[in-house]
Amino acid sequence: MTKRNPQLRWTGILVFFAALSGVCLSAQGAQEPGAAPPPGRPDQIKIDTLAAYGKLELPAVTFFHDKHTKALVKENKDCQTCHLVENNKLSFTFMRRQGTKPEELQSLYHTNCIGCHLETAAAGKPSGPLDGFCRSCHNAQPPTPARLDAGMDKTLHYRHLASKAIPASTKEATNCSACHHVYDKQTKKIVYAAGKEESCRVCHGDKPQDGVLDLAQASHQQCVLCHLDLAGKGAKDNGPLNCNGCHGAAGQALVAKKNQEVVAKLKNKEVPRLQRGQPDAALITYVPKNGDTSGKSLLMEPVPFDHKAHEKYTDSCRGCHHASMDSCASCHTLTGAKEGKLVTFEQAMHSKSSKHSCIGCHAAKQAPPNCAGCHNRIEESRQPESATCKLCHLPLGKTTLAGSGARMTPQQRAEIAESMLKERPKSPGTYSLGSLPAKVEIRELTDKYQPVELDHGKHVQALLKGMEGNQLAQYFHHDPGTMCQGCHHNSPASATPPRCSSCHPRYFDPKHPKRPGLQAAFHGQCMGCHKDMAVKPVATACTECHLEKQK
Amino acid sequence: MLRRQFLGLLGATAACAALGKPAQAAGTKHFAGYPGSNGVLFDATRCIGCRRCEAGCNQVNGLPAPDRPFDDLSVLDQKRRTNAKSYTVVNRYDNIPGAAGPVYRKTQCNHCLEPACASACFVAAFTKTPQGAVTWDETVCVGCRYCMIACPFEIPTYEYNEPLTPRVMKCTMCYPQITSGKLRVPGCVGACPTEALVYGSRAELLQVARERFHAHPGRYINQIYGEREMGGTNWLYISGVPFREIGLREDLGVTPAPELTSGALAAVPIVASVWPVLLLGIYAVSKARDRVAKEETKAAVAAAVAKAQAEAQTKLAKTKADAEAQMKTAIEREVKKALEEAAQGPTEGGE
């Protein structure tokens, strides 16, 4: 056996321990799951174009777009410094047209990026990384881009619609055609279809497909090019031109501020309704897509839906019409279909966990303090009383049975819905306030304190006041007794509900886990509501409810 | 040391190690708690931080009056631990991410299913009662305070200011008062105005906790602290915020403390009893072997000496005989020579 080189052996041992400590250190430095990654910038772009053609030799490049546009403005250079013009349109790729070969890409980036950096450096100006500083651009651990969804709510939409800088086409009275389009299969052209405007997402998905651009590409072409064009023409309000303007928190704050200013000047301080031919009222019932109306009348009674009012409650049509403006039933069939992601019609209307469903949205409206006082006390998992179904599913009457709604024309349905909505009560109902006790004396804990004098009348008034101006609350609490059930729960609504001690025993019994003992029932009800409604007294101020016994 | 002795010791060590194993297995038998044992469920979403539990505990256990009254909530500005004057304290935890306001948590003995304090106590002063409580017996305690070091929740405390009869102080889950019928539930539970504390059988309480999870999805962290921690405790906690945020250790694991030490401790009697016997035996055997060898050598040497002596004698005798024979031959020859000379002599002389 040849004698080993001792130096080599020691080197080996050192390398081993270095590697081991490296592994340990990186394990130690690993982020805790759930911890937020370090925030990046909204203009951060990952350049990994070559990744499509095989494994990357070096990590992807982290590129800051706004940093470059800012530098170009200083130099009086424009977008065409980096983006070529193709078919009279600015290309969104870097320095290339369609059909550039993959083997050309690497040198294309290196030549142009480093070339420009070198030129800048030669001119004695601060420049980006030069030749040889590979890792300055090929950044192994880039921060996560802090890019927000640009979003287009109804106010921003109105600002575009009302903008004089975006002219109406010759055929239309509105400028909708400036953005909205459909693909005409016959003429193989992109055309405008009045009254068929959709959200961009209906066609432009997350990834390009069958020649249709993905949403990012489509919206950049539509928005950015138009904004640049308007800026070139010297329009007063040309819209954001950099990444931060739409995708950054600061840029979005500016947009929101401007939105507020615009709304403040409008009539009723409200954005006018969109004109897409939508009904004022709709009768929601299951209308099969294929128009099959032979179905038996086994459906729930239809729901008259105040479409016009609901337009005010949401930021955009997508609040409910999350996929397309078609009726819900076109995707959500009775038994669930692939296009509706197997979500049935019933679930689409009632799912509590979805923000697009009726119940889901209504449940979210119970979060503000005015509502939370009572609604936070109600078990989330509890099945609603079957009687509450009838609050939405109103009986159509003798002549028009449930299910026959499907046989009516949309016009007829709208008319019926409208008349039904008119008949619906508009104010919360209570028992006549005079018949209710003004004060209630609670004689629990009287061994330590004086009896509690509850100002019952004041509590009723406060709850009624909390519903003022809230149509949703007013309608759903119109049955007398519904509001009372916030406190007098679990027994049928009544003007003379049973005493709390009828159900709540003196002590908690683990065999009835959902039934607290009497003291905890009172405290849970009172303290919980006061905390959620942010009203005094606080939970630990015992003597504000229980007066000290006089000694 | 001879190679043979060394190997003998090695063998003995191996034998001891092998003997130790079954004992260890017996010590780690899974214990799921006494059936029907009682516990307390603490619900952090219900606790309002009123300190009534502290007052209730103080009263039923006849503890000394606190420095500041129980309705002084500014006490909560500092984090506190249990001490010899208070079996339980409530702490307030502020600025918890995701929580709407402060969250409170009560601290006291968790009454482990397999208590670390009991396993550390060499005089067995601690008892895990079948009713659930872990109790301490002052008549046997020697005051070593190993229990205080052993407890992962840092609960047992000591009356350091008591020079003659210092006691280990900790929550008893009101075991004496409940068994004697003085109390229906522990003092703290009875004093809680919001049922943030409920008393019942541990199995039922686990059920109660799960019912609450089900009734309010999203309100609770879907875990019952104490169901499995340190092998399980009779005091259980549920919370709307991660348990580490309200000062409950999440690094304890689910292994009961005794299981961590029972293997080593179970080996002690084996080592103490078997090793001396075995080692002395080996010593005696090798010693005896030495003695026998010595005697054998002695005998062999004696035999060899005798043999050599005999051989020498024979040789000597032979040499003697040879010498005598030689001498005889020489004498005879000389005599013969002399006779011949005598015969010739007168002739020559007569001329």
Side-chain angles (χ1 to χ4, degrees), chain A residues 252-512:
Chain A
Q252 290 198 353
L254 269 179
V255 173
K257 196 181 155 215
K258 187 94 192 188
N259 284 355
Q260 274 179 353
E261 286 169 16
V262 171
V263 171
K265 284 181 201 157
L266 289 169
K267 193 181 147 198
N268 293 339
K269 303 201 169 158
E270 256 174 29
V271 175
R273 267 186 97 189
L274 286 170
Q275 301 297 327
R276 191 188 176 270
Q278 73 272 36
D280 286 0
L283 196 65
I284 300 180
T285 186
Y286 185 72
V287 184
K289 201 159 87 176
N290 56 11
D292 176 20
T293 52
S294 62
K296 307 232 167 29
S297 308
L298 292 176
L299 298 169
M300 281 293 283
E301 303 273 11
V303 174
F305 176 72
D306 194 341
H307 198 281
K308 188 179 171 185
H310 281 80
E311 285 169 30
K312 284 186 203 167
Y313 308 142
T314 170
D315 276 341
S316 79
C317 306
R318 288 199 302 124
C320 304
H321 294 277
H322 56 101
S324 82
M325 301 301 142
D326 289 344
S327 85
C328 311
S330 57
C331 295
H332 299 293
T333 61
L334 276 190
T335 49
K338 194 186 161 200
E339 52 267 39
K341 290 184 180 161
L342 298 181
V343 176
T344 64
F345 187 68
E346 185 275 329
Q347 287 165 344
M349 298 298 136
H350 300 119
S351 167
K352 221 175 184 179
S353 55
S354 164
K355 55 182 193 248
H356 305 299
S357 82
C358 306
I359 302 278
C361 187
H362 285 178
K365 304 275 180 206
Q366 293 166 350
N370 274 350
C371 312
C374 295
H375 285 277
N376 270 7
R377 310 272 81 68
I378 301 170
E379 284 168 22
E380 271 178 68
S381 59
R382 186 177 145 151
Q383 280 293 315
E385 307 280 332
S386 56
T388 58
C389 303
K390 285 185 178 172
L391 290 171
C392 296
H393 294 271
L394 295 177
L396 268 173
K398 281 176 195 168
T399 48
T400 45
L401 289 167
S404 61
R407 280 189 280 276
M408 298 177 220
T409 63
Q411 188 62 33
Q412 284 172 314
R413 287 208 297 271
E415 277 167 21
I416 290 178
E418 210 157 337
S419 69
M420 286 165 83
L421 284 172
K422 265 183 202 152
E423 286 164 26
R424 279 197 339 190
K426 294 261 186 299
S427 60
T430 53
Y431 305 105
S432 82
L433 292 181
S435 71
L436 301 177
K439 307 255 174 189
V440 172
E441 202 177 58
I442 301 169
R443 295 189 159 276
E444 274 296 305
L445 280 182
T446 41
D447 51 336
K448 287 185 203 151
Y449 300 99
Q450 292 184 37
V452 173
E453 199 179 70
L454 174 83
D455 195 335
H456 188 265
K458 193 175 152 191
H459 281 79
V460 174
Q461 294 287 3
L463 292 181
L464 283 173
K465 192 161 181 281
M467 282 189 265
E468 269 174 22
N470 183 340
Q471 266 198 49
L472 177 74
Q474 293 192 338
Y475 175 64
F476 282 98
H477 296 88
H478 77 257
D479 265 349
T482 302
M483 190 191 81
C484 307
Q485 285 182 301
C487 297
H488 302 279
H489 58 171
N490 294 337
S491 63
S494 157
T496 51
R499 295 183 71 84
C500 305
S501 56
S502 315
C503 300
H504 293 282
R506 183 165 178 78
Y507 300 118
F508 173 76
D509 180 1
K511 291 194 173 51
H512 299 285

Side-chain angles (χ1 to χ4, degrees), chain B residues 40-71:
Chain B
V40 176
L41 173 67
F42 171 80
D43 187 337
T45 69
R46 295 187 177 200
C47 181
I48 56 170
C50 65
R51 300 185 68 213
R52 289 285 163 135
C53 48
E54 291 184 33
C57 174
N58 178 282
Q59 192 205 335
V60 301
N61 288 298
L63 297 173
D67 300 335
R68 282 152 84 183
F70 286 112
D71 53 10

Side-chain angles (χ1 to χ4, degrees), chain B residues 102-170:
Chain B
V103 180
Y104 304 90
R105 206 254 307 173
K106 180 181 176 294
T107 309
Q108 74 299 305
C109 173
N110 287 328
H111 301 275
C112 303
L113 296 183
E114 294 176 73
C117 54
S119 75
C121 183
F122 55 82
V123 293
F126 286 93
T127 311
K128 176 69 183 177
T129 65
Q131 288 85 348
V134 175
T135 58
W136 171 81
D137 182 356
E138 66 179 301
T139 59
V140 292
C141 178
V142 294
C144 72
R145 283 158 281 150
Y146 280 8
C147 50
M148 294 168 61
I149 297 160
C151 178
F153 305 106
E154 302 180 330
I155 292 302
T157 57
Y158 198 63
E159 288 182 317
Y160 285 105
N161 55 351
E162 198 66 53
L164 295 175
T165 56
R167 290 173 298 171
V168 171
M169 302 294 274
K170 75 163 203 70

